[in-house]
Amino acid sequence: MHPNAEIVAKALLDQGATGVIVELPDSARTAQAAADQLGCEVGAIANSLLFDADGAPLLVLTSGAHRVDTAKVAALVGAAKVRRATPEFVREATGQPIGGVAPLGHPAPIRTLVDVWLDRHDQVWAAGGHPHTVFPSSYTELLRITGGTPAEVE
């Protein structure tokens, strides 16, 4: 298992999460690629998107069927500007590459919003720290293990 996935697996265990890391045969850098490999709806993929909110990292876990409305998110978190983070910013904040960012297992806690639309699925899949790894979870569990805030982000 990739070292990043091992870190995420340990964080899942430490948080008492029910899911375990699953290694995929192909890269799942997009929600659609993950859904195709897992045989689930794209909406059941919990995309971990890192944003730069006035210079601070902000993680948004959104349904793979949605696009994040950065103006709406900025208003929700009280930021003047929220924009997609650069690959370097993502790696620095999470220790993980774009396309594999997990909701946890980061060097330090990151403020997190969790898309309420994920609650429409009994099981959701999130990245496991590397583009070839994912883990199953639920909306409620994602809120708990990330300390996230429910939000409408679309």
Side-chain angles (χ1 to χ4, degrees):
M1 188 181 308
H2 190 276
N4 286 351
E6 288 178 1
I7 291 168
V8 174
K10 182 179 181 326
L12 288 168
L13 188 63
D14 291 348
Q15 291 291 330
T18 58
V20 296
I21 298 290
V22 173
E23 292 189 62
L24 300 173
D26 295 314
S27 174
R29 290 186 182 274
T30 67
Q32 189 62 61
D36 290 347
Q37 291 184 68
L38 293 164
C40 68
E41 293 178 34
V42 72
I45 302 299
N47 271 346
S48 298
L49 303 176
L50 194 80
F51 292 88
D52 177 335
D54 294 340
L58 173 68
L59 185 63
V60 177
L61 303 180
T62 187
S63 166
H66 289 168
R67 295 190 68 94
V68 173
D69 180 334
T70 55
K72 186 180 222 179
V73 168
L76 285 171
V77 301
K81 184 161 180 98
V82 170
R83 62 176 184 237
R84 281 301 273 270
T86 65
E88 298 78 20
F89 190 92
V90 171
R91 178 82 67 171
E92 183 179 318
T94 68
Q96 303 161 358
I98 290 176
V101 173
L104 72 171
H106 312 131
I110 298 174
R111 184 176 188 183
T112 302
L113 300 179
V114 182
D115 187 351
V116 296
W117 277 73
L118 290 169
D119 195 26
R120 295 177 180 224
H121 300 277
D122 292 334
Q123 183 178 61
V124 296
W125 291 87
H130 183 270
H132 283 264
T133 60
V134 293
F135 68 91
S137 190
S138 68
Y139 171 76
T140 303
E141 185 174 75
L142 286 175
L143 285 170
R144 182 180 62 76
I145 66 176
T146 64
T149 302
E152 290 189 21
V153 298
E154 181 183 42

